[in-house]
Amino acid sequence: MTDKIQEIQKRVQASREDIIQFMLEIVEIPSMDSQLKDVGERIAKEMNKLGFDEVRFDKMGNIMGRIGNGKRVIVYDSHVDTVGIGDPTEWKWDPFKGKIEDGILYARGACDEKGSTPGMIYGLAMARDLGLLDGWTAYYFGNMEEWCDGIAPNTFVEVDPKVKPDFVVIGEPTKMLVYRGHKGRLEMKVTAKGRSAHAASNHLGDNAIYKLLPIIAGIRDLEPKLGDHEFLGHGKITVSDMHVKTPSINAVPDEAIIFIDRRMTFGETKEMVKRQVEDLIPAEFKDTVKLEELFYDEPSYTGFVFPVDKYFPAWALDEDHALVQAGQLARKTIGLSEAPSSKWNFSTNGIYWAGKAGIPSIGFGPGDEETAHTVRDSVSLEDMVKATEFYAILPSLIMG
């Protein structure tokens, strides 16, 4: 194994400029609102250059590449869509061309999550060339995640290519640590119905906004009472958006909706979470205020629709799980300092892979999630290249 890792490191250094150039080119291609076609074609070009056995888009429009036909199946999951850039004046550089300063690439998607794609693709190709994928079928899966995490892997297993992997590695930023879980989530909305009237005669109306005020205050005060877990941490709840329907700004609104993001830790069920919010609706408003789970059925850019509810279970692997241990051994083998496994604060495709499908999954990627979705979106180029070594060596270290 010492000879193998030395050869991997030699090959990674020889490919360093190619890996970095590939990264610069994929961040330069906008892929907001799940529009993956252009960046997917660029990624496909690199996989074809490296000799992947199969390279194609799936029905949803995600890009995938396969190496091998072994009985054991591993998927490297990297979402390559991004959020938008927000207010352009907040950026001090072009968010797509980015800038490199002190070895750090600042660009939209650098951290979240294009930074794992070059290492995954080059790492798998190197593992194949060194015989480290014998007995494996390995997939790179560049997918859309930002608007509904978990939907892309759901289609991977159930629609196209209809493969349930044995193991998954998620490339979301982990600061080059092994991550083994995160909280789940339930997205909900509360709709209040009222009666419109002219603002000059507001006594004739029934203001829908006012019906939501006690619920909003209750949500604000609810968090200290939520569940806790020694690894995943405390539950969270936030009113994340509000829509109002009104004939004009000089009228009493006849409908108001709040959207709720509820982060769930272990020990919290979907039924419990819904009941906590329903209990905040005053008795006198029960007939005109309703709680609903959110549902995702937006078509992808290919027109593909895969309806799912927006419930995402919490998940975590045990520290002594074979995949976690392999990840830790891979870190040590490539020369990273020992560090305990950890977890994400945000949500990933792990909510489907591990949370719904029960597939053992870990996270490993360059970048710090705290820069995700900000104008500081960034990744260390040194870490991005180094991650290639991890992705190359990992499959050969997985026991069981």
Side-chain angles (χ1 to χ4, degrees), residues 271-296:
E271 292 71 26
M272 177 194 306
V273 165
K274 291 175 64 178
R275 187 168 60 250
Q276 287 171 334
V277 178
E278 286 173 340
D279 288 346
L280 298 175
I281 302 173
E284 63 270 27
F285 296 154
K286 292 290 187 182
D287 291 338
T288 55
V289 177
K290 299 297 181 184
L291 172 68
E292 299 174 76
E293 296 178 44
L294 292 187
F295 194 76
Y296 190 87

Side-chain angles (χ1 to χ4, degrees), residues 93-374:
W93 51 87
D94 185 313
F96 299 110
K97 290 188 180 299
K99 71 167 182 175
I100 298 175
E101 187 174 280
D102 298 326
I104 306 297
L105 170 64
Y106 294 85
R108 175 53 82 224
C111 168
D112 189 18
E113 178 211 341
K114 292 178 178 179
S116 59
T117 284
M120 287 179 168
I121 290 174
Y122 274 80
L124 287 175
M126 292 176 188
R128 174 204 58 206
D129 294 344
L130 294 172
L132 299 176
L133 285 181
D134 292 350
W136 287 94
T137 299
Y139 287 92
Y140 164 80
F141 185 47
N143 59 79
M144 54 191 78
E145 185 265 2
E146 287 292 2
W147 296 112
C148 187
D149 33 348
I151 190 172
N154 202 325
T155 65
F156 186 97
V157 173
E158 298 183 21
V159 180
D160 181 19
K162 289 189 176 180
V163 172
K164 186 174 182 179
D166 299 296
F167 305 101
V168 173
V169 179
I170 300 163
E172 296 271 14
T174 68
K175 296 178 285 191
M176 301 289 278
L177 301 174
V178 172
Y179 280 14
R180 58 184 178 90
H182 58 70
K183 295 187 188 78
R185 187 169 83 254
L186 180 64
E187 295 184 18
M188 299 171 280
K189 69 175 181 178
V190 178
T191 303
K193 296 288 189 179
R195 184 175 62 256
S196 186
H198 197 288
S201 302
N202 58 3
H203 60 283
L204 300 176
D206 182 17
N207 197 312
I209 294 176
Y210 296 165
K211 296 182 180 184
L212 294 179
L213 295 181
I215 303 167
I216 294 170
I219 290 171
R220 178 197 62 201
D221 299 335
L222 183 61
E223 193 161 303
K225 306 170 188 176
L226 302 182
D228 202 1
H229 184 265
E230 60 182 359
F231 177 63
L232 293 186
H234 199 77
K236 298 281 189 178
I237 188 166
T238 300
V239 176
S240 57
D241 198 0
M242 184 174 188
H243 294 177
V244 175
K245 180 182 174 184
T246 181
S248 79
I249 60 171
N250 305 113
V252 175
D254 58 5
E255 181 180 275
I257 303 172
I258 55 170
F259 293 85
I260 302 167
D261 182 309
R262 174 65 159 87
R263 303 286 160 150
M264 300 167 59
T265 193
F266 280 148
E268 297 184 315
T269 66
K270 180 167 70 169
E271 292 71 26
M272 177 194 306
V273 165
K274 291 175 64 178
R275 187 168 60 250
Q276 287 171 334
V277 178
E278 286 173 340
D279 288 346
L280 298 175
I281 302 173
E284 63 270 27
F285 296 154
K286 292 290 187 182
D287 291 338
T288 55
V289 177
K290 299 297 181 184
L291 172 68
E292 299 174 76
E293 296 178 44
L294 292 187
F295 194 76
Y296 190 87
D297 59 358
E298 294 293 321
S300 71
Y301 74 90
T302 65
F304 177 83
V305 176
F306 190 81
V308 292
D309 58 8
K310 301 194 81 171
Y311 165 61
F312 312 108
W315 66 279
L317 287 190
D318 292 336
E319 181 72 48
D320 60 359
H321 191 281
L323 183 58
V324 177
Q325 291 300 302
Q328 292 289 50
L329 181 55
R331 291 186 73 259
K332 181 179 179 180
T333 301
I334 66 174
L336 296 178
S337 58
E338 289 191 26
S341 61
S342 190
K343 64 183 184 298
W344 288 282
N345 285 323
F346 61 26
S347 186
T348 76
N349 278 336
I351 57 90
Y352 175 78
W353 295 121
K356 290 186 177 181
I359 299 167
S361 305
I362 59 170
F364 182 87
D368 184 336
E369 69 181 84
E370 290 189 359
T371 74
H373 298 193
T374 74

Side-chain angles (χ1 to χ4, degrees), residues 54-75:
E54 179 186 20
V55 177
R56 67 177 178 88
F57 287 94
D58 68 7
K59 293 179 181 178
M60 188 180 188
N62 306 298
I63 185 65
M64 65 173 70
R66 176 183 58 81
I67 292 177
N69 289 290
K71 291 184 178 180
R72 305 178 87 192
V73 180
I74 190 167
V75 170

